[in-house]
């Protein structure tokens, strides 16, 4: 199988390593061509044996069996027009964290080939050196608007994703973005806001002294670099603003209870939050 | 050594197990008497060999070498008057997460004996079954207003805390509460608010599908039970409201940038949050 991976960071690099492991197990041949506008990343990916070859021309990928787009969501939008001449036999998967704008921008020539996916995994690290062949194992991947896909491309993609250990869930792209705003995008904004408010008020000594597991967990994703997240916030702007507003209202409700020393309501409010325990 | 532990939950239970491990290593005798108003917890602590004996009368502890108060902060305030008859040889340590109200309420008879401490560790679990002898290892413990302590009691407490692997930091009680509001108490309120806003808007299927590592980390402490946290919020009310307000302002600033599609300011804001990486 010949695979082109656009974007050799954490997501693309980890996908390459997972495929390599799987094909070695099957004793089948696999060739991975990488493309990344960051030359340093390209060279690192070659050195680390994540890819077998590097190209800087996306046309070199258009006749491969599979193309993976593992780049920030605005970069996906910019890349889509160049993919319209891809072979009808080429399956294309994108790993963007927003889906509605992407599915609306897929050129009609490749709509049957194009699997719009969002893998629910990642870390705060980035670049090929962060790649981890186990990143996808046991994790959920959401496939959106699959009714637009050709069955063969869809089955091929699903088999491959399952082979590297992922659990597949289907969702409407528009719904996906609304849900992702609440469960993923807004929490990232909250983590950044938490880090910023603490950095503004506190000194290094006190942060080091008082940061227990709770604060460390809550601020971990505040270490994520802006590149990917600005694109996501921009593409999912309306849903994000709505989710952030709901969250702020919830916290203001808490403030009101505390101001009024209404501890019985605080208890109810906490007990309600504890219900999350029953789900995850 | 004879130790009385008031409160046989996660914190008290873990302290007992850590002491037992340490004294076994030293080949010294240790006897631990437990007190917990929850009879179920008392019996579990006995069965799990966390304590050697149970009592329901605090006077049984007043002549031991050490008394640990590992109960919610309001319960500490209520217990303090009963400790005023403790022996001058008894060292008393409290593990409350707020410190100012507690140090102000210590009876003068035992002020030299009383070490006001806040261990920066814990989990979202509770009860004796959650006890873990490694809970304190490598973690920071903040000791407040130690200039009020008798040197012998202070040295004894510091040695013991270091023996179970803790790193000691000193802080003024009032300052501690202001810092803890930002770095510990407000983040808990934020996690509860996050859980509540998501539970209000989202169904179980979507939460399960889309909850990646980021959301799981950020909502973990929203599983903490109300008992301990209502007391903390109540005792540190002013500082908590101030920290929560600073946090909301930070998030509202982000909302404003997003509304205005001012992505350059969002980038600056995120890069600033990323600085936390240099500290923890």
């Amino acid at each position: 199988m010949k695979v082109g991976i656009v974007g050799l960071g954490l997501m693309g690099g980890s996908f390459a390593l997972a495929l390599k492991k799987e094909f070695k197990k099957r004793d089948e041949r696999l060739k991975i061509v990488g493309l990344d506008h960051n030359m340093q990343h390209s060279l690192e990916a070659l050195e680390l044996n994540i890819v077998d070859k590097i190209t800087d021309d996306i046309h070199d990928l258009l006749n491969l069996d599979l193309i993976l787009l593992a780049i920030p969501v605005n970069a996906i939008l910019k890349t889509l027009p160049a993919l319209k001449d891809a072979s009808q036999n080429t399956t294309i998967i994108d790993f963007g964290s927003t889906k509605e704008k992407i599915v609306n921008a897929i050129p009609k020539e490749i709509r049957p080939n194009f699997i719009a996916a969002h893998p629910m995994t990642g870390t705060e690290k980035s670049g090929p050196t962060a790649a981890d062949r186990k990143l996808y194992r046991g994790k959920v991947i959401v496939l959106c608007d699959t009714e637009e896909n050709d069955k063969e491309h869809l089955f091929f993609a699903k088999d491959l994703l399952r082979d590297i250990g992922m659990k597949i869930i289907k969702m409407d792209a528009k719904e996906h973005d609304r849900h992702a705003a609440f469960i993923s995008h807004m929490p990232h904004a909250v983590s950044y806001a938490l880090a910023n408010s603490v950095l503004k008020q506190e000194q290094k000594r006190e942060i080091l002294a008082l940061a227990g597991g709770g604060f460390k967990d809550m601020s971990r994703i505040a270490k994520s670099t802006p590149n990917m997240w600005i694109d996501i916030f921009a593409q999912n702007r309306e849903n994000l603003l709505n989710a952030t507003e709901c969250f702020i209202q919830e916290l203001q409700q808490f403030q009101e209870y505390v101001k009024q020393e209404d501890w019985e309501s605080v208890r109810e409010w906490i007990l309600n939050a504890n219900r999350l325990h029953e789900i995850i």
Side-chain angles (χ1 to χ4, degrees), chain A:
Chain A
M1 188 169 82
K2 289 181 180 166
V3 179
I5 298 187
V6 183
L8 300 172
L10 172 72
M11 303 305 282
S14 298
F15 186 77
L17 292 179
L19 276 190
K20 288 205 165 191
K21 176 84 181 170
E22 173 63 21
F23 275 71
K24 194 173 176 185
K25 200 172 73 185
R26 293 189 201 168
D27 205 17
E28 280 181 40
R29 288 182 62 174
L30 173 72
K31 183 170 177 182
I32 301 183
V33 186
L35 187 157
D36 196 307
H37 70 88
N38 179 327
M39 184 49 69
Q40 185 60 33
H41 280 185
S42 293
L43 293 174
E44 278 176 14
L46 258 185
E47 273 171 29
L48 293 166
N49 222 6
I50 290 171
V51 296
D52 305 299
K53 197 184 150 184
I54 287 293
T55 179
D56 60 1
D57 185 357
I58 197 149
H59 293 93
D60 290 349
L61 311 180
L62 300 185
N63 288 300
L64 306 185
D65 299 299
L66 173 69
I67 300 172
L68 175 74
L69 302 177
I71 47 183
V73 286
N74 284 357
I76 294 177
L77 289 183
K78 281 183 204 141
T79 305
L80 286 176
L83 296 174
K84 78 172 183 346
D85 299 324
S87 156
Q88 286 309 305
N89 298 321
T90 303
T91 303
I92 306 170
I93 305 178
D94 93 283
F95 271 5
S97 300
T98 58
K99 297 269 67 96
E100 191 183 2
K101 286 212 164 72
I102 289 173
V103 297
N104 289 341
I106 302 169
K108 66 178 187 316
E109 295 87 342
I110 53 165
R111 188 64 192 91
N113 322 27
F114 197 103
I115 317 294
H118 181 196
M120 302 315 300
T121 182
T123 75
E124 71 281 15
K125 300 187 186 116
S126 59
T129 51
D132 171 5
R133 69 175 167 78
K134 291 180 182 165
L135 186 71
Y136 298 103
R137 187 148 295 280
K139 301 296 164 53
V140 165
I141 188 160
V142 181
L143 305 188
C144 289
D145 297 1
T146 53
E147 60 283 2
E148 305 288 334
N149 289 128
D150 173 87
K151 289 250 174 310
E152 274 194 50
H153 285 294
L154 182 59
F155 288 153
F156 171 72
K158 283 167 71 173
D159 277 350
L160 205 60
L161 294 168
R162 282 203 196 96
D163 285 343
I164 63 166
M166 303 204 80
K167 298 178 217 165
I168 293 166
I169 284 189
K170 292 183 181 179
M171 217 176 266
D172 171 78
K174 198 178 165 74
E175 283 300 295
H176 164 276
D177 284 7
R178 203 176 64 76
H179 297 310
F182 268 95
I183 305 172
S184 169
H185 307 165
M186 173 270 280
H188 271 81
V190 166
S191 186
Y192 288 132
L194 181 65
N196 273 331
S197 61
V198 167
L199 284 167
K200 234 174 228 176
Q201 296 286 334
E202 297 292 320
Q203 302 296 315
K204 187 174 170 181
R205 174 185 184 264
E206 280 71 32
I207 295 175
L208 273 171
L210 297 176
F215 180 71
K216 282 180 185 156
D217 279 359
M218 296 207 57
S219 61
R220 183 181 62 80
I221 52 178
K223 297 175 185 171
S224 310
T225 55
N227 305 341
M228 160 179 174
W229 282 96
I230 287 178
D231 279 16
I232 293 171
F233 293 157
Q235 283 202 23
N236 206 13
R237 184 167 158 270
E238 297 297 320
N239 288 317
L240 172 69
L241 285 172
N242 175 41
T244 312
E245 198 52 43
C246 288
F247 166 80
I248 287 179
Q249 279 171 20
E250 203 60 51
L251 194 55
Q252 282 172 336
Q253 175 68 76
F254 168 76
Q255 278 186 305
E256 211 42 53
Y257 294 147
V258 173
K259 274 180 199 159
Q260 291 165 11
E261 307 196 51
D262 178 359
W263 306 117
E264 206 35 61
S265 294
V266 173
R267 178 179 302 278
E268 294 284 321
W269 188 77
I270 292 179
L271 285 173
N272 193 60
N274 289 166
R275 288 192 301 123
L276 196 65
H277 204 27
E278 300 156 18
I279 302 179
I280 55 174

